[in-house]
Each structure stands twice: as structure tokens, then as C-alpha cells.
Amino acid sequence: MKRVTLFAGHYGSGKTNIAVNYALKMHEEGYDVKIADLDIVNPYFRTKDSADDLARANIELISPAYANSNVDLPALPQEVYGLVQNKRFYAIMDIGGDERGALALGRYRPYILEENDFEMVFVANFYRPLTRTAEEALEVMKEIEAAGGIPFTSIVNNSNIGEETTVGDIKKSEAELKRLCEISNLPVLFTSVKEDLANELDGDILPLRLQKKLII
């Protein structure tokens, strides 16, 4: 288990939902974990939407002050520096979608690379329009790496079509996943699926409690 785990991917890949579930899973396993929302681009599904779930688990959430309001300034709280520098805690970081969102990561790059105890995870959803193939996904990966300055170390398969996803849909994505691993030379960290499908699949699986959009 790396001390800092960063989840990044294209818009709609599901990285935020995975980041929240991963933090909750780590907490259940006894890790002292905090989570930071670095997504200053996408105002829709954000880590802030799961604030109540995280609070019930006593997981501190660090997010922009104006997240989930009608004022959303592109500013990140100073507490994120403490998160990457304080080695007492395990840190989960939700990175903004594609290369624009990854630019915010650059200011924390020196601390993360110096400690060298991180997992930079690409969240792949092969049912999204711009990442339907391994080659398209690799292009997005390269753009994010160039913007954030931190190399990817693993891949999560989060291929889904929302509530309608079946085990068959997930299995259909395995060929592109295998191809992405080959051309990126990266391993699969796990496959994420809805809780009701988890028992029907083999391998490393993270059952997902789906995130609900907070309407205010």
C-alpha cells in the first residue's frame, strides 16, 4: 500500500467515485486516511458529494472552499500541502479530468516525487466516447502525465454504462484493458464494479457504493 494514491482519468471515467470508495475501503482496513479533491475543473460529480459518507467514517475531506456552490473559484486549500508532507496519514487524491485538471497537481509534484511512495492510477472506462480503445486511452494518459508531471504506475478498469452495467459489459472491456496494459507497460491495480456484481467476477475487485450527486 503506497502512502499517496492519486486517481486520474478522462471526464466521466468515474475516478471520483473510485477515490471515495478506495478511501472508505482503506479506512475499513485500519488505515488512517485523508482524501483531497483537486478537481477544480469539473463542477458535477465531485468528492464533496460524498462528504457525509466520509464524515461518518471519520475521514477528513480537503476540498476547494466553494465546491458544490454557485461560486466555484479555481483555488485549492493550503491543507493539501500538509496532506502530501505529513507522513502520518495515507493520502487519496482525486485529480481533475484530462490534462487541464491535472495542471493543479503540478504544485505538489516535488513533494510526491521526493518521497517516492505513491501510486498514480489511470481510471479507464472504455465505454466513454474519447477512450473507447486502448490507443485513445493511452493518448489521454500521456496528456495527463505531461500536465501533472507524475508518471502513471497502474490502471483501474472502471468500464461501465452506469446503472445498466452487466457482468458481460465488464468482460467485453477486458480485451482493450489488456491492450492498454501492453502498450503502456503498466499493471492493473483492480477492476471496480457495483456491489451487486462483485461476486460474479474473479480477480482483484473493488465493490463500488455508487456516489449520489448532491443537489443544492
Side-chain angles (χ1 to χ4, degrees):
M1 182 69 70
K2 301 296 185 181
R3 194 186 72 80
V4 179
T5 305
L6 308 101
F7 291 98
H10 203 275
Y11 295 121
S13 62
K15 61 184 179 54
T16 295
N17 195 37
I18 291 174
V20 169
N21 277 271
Y22 195 73
L24 291 169
K25 180 66 173 176
M26 286 186 65
H27 173 76
E28 290 171 0
E29 294 183 357
Y31 292 95
D32 195 354
V33 61
K34 295 184 180 183
I35 185 168
D37 181 355
L38 268 66
D39 193 341
I40 60 175
V41 178
N42 185 3
Y44 299 108
F45 283 88
R46 306 192 63 158
T47 312
K48 189 75 171 178
D49 298 329
S50 297
D52 290 344
D53 291 335
L54 293 166
R56 280 192 290 270
N58 293 316
I59 298 174
E60 181 180 347
L61 167 63
I62 301 170
S63 64
Y66 297 106
N68 286 336
S69 73
N70 58 2
V71 179
D72 202 7
L73 300 178
L76 292 167
Q78 289 294 316
E79 290 89 343
V80 179
Y81 285 101
L83 185 61
V84 297
Q85 292 175 311
N86 188 343
K87 298 179 182 180
R88 277 189 53 216
F89 302 99
Y90 283 82
I92 308 299
M93 303 178 78
D94 175 18
I95 312 302
D98 72 30
E99 75 277 10
R100 289 177 295 169
L103 286 171
L105 181 59
R107 68 188 71 178
Y108 312 108
R109 178 181 63 237
Y111 309 103
I112 294 171
L113 292 181
E114 180 181 8
E115 183 183 2
N116 195 28
D117 190 11
F118 69 90
E119 190 84 61
M120 178 71 169
V121 186
F122 181 74
V123 179
N125 184 346
F126 295 108
Y127 291 109
R128 297 299 297 169
L130 298 180
T131 54
R132 292 193 183 276
T133 68
E135 287 73 18
E136 289 177 343
L138 182 64
E139 191 62 32
V140 173
M141 291 175 68
K142 290 179 178 178
E143 292 171 352
I144 293 173
E145 284 183 333
I150 297 179
F152 282 106
T153 60
S154 62
I155 300 166
V156 161
N157 184 15
N158 190 46
S159 297
N160 71 86
I161 51 175
E163 294 283 358
E164 306 302 317
T165 307
T166 66
V167 169
D169 295 321
I170 299 167
K171 290 185 175 180
K172 285 178 184 177
S173 70
E174 290 177 352
E176 290 301 329
L177 175 66
K178 181 179 179 181
R179 174 66 180 153
L180 180 57
C181 291
E182 290 173 348
I183 61 179
S184 67
N185 198 31
L186 295 177
V188 177
L189 187 63
F190 57 79
T191 294
S192 54
V193 299
K194 293 189 301 177
E195 284 183 307
D196 59 336
L197 300 180
N199 292 332
E200 300 182 51
L201 292 166
D202 298 322
D204 293 323
I205 303 296
L206 176 69
L208 291 182
R209 288 163 279 190
L210 297 181
Q211 185 184 35
K212 303 300 183 182
K213 178 69 182 79
L214 179 64
I215 306 297
I216 60 173

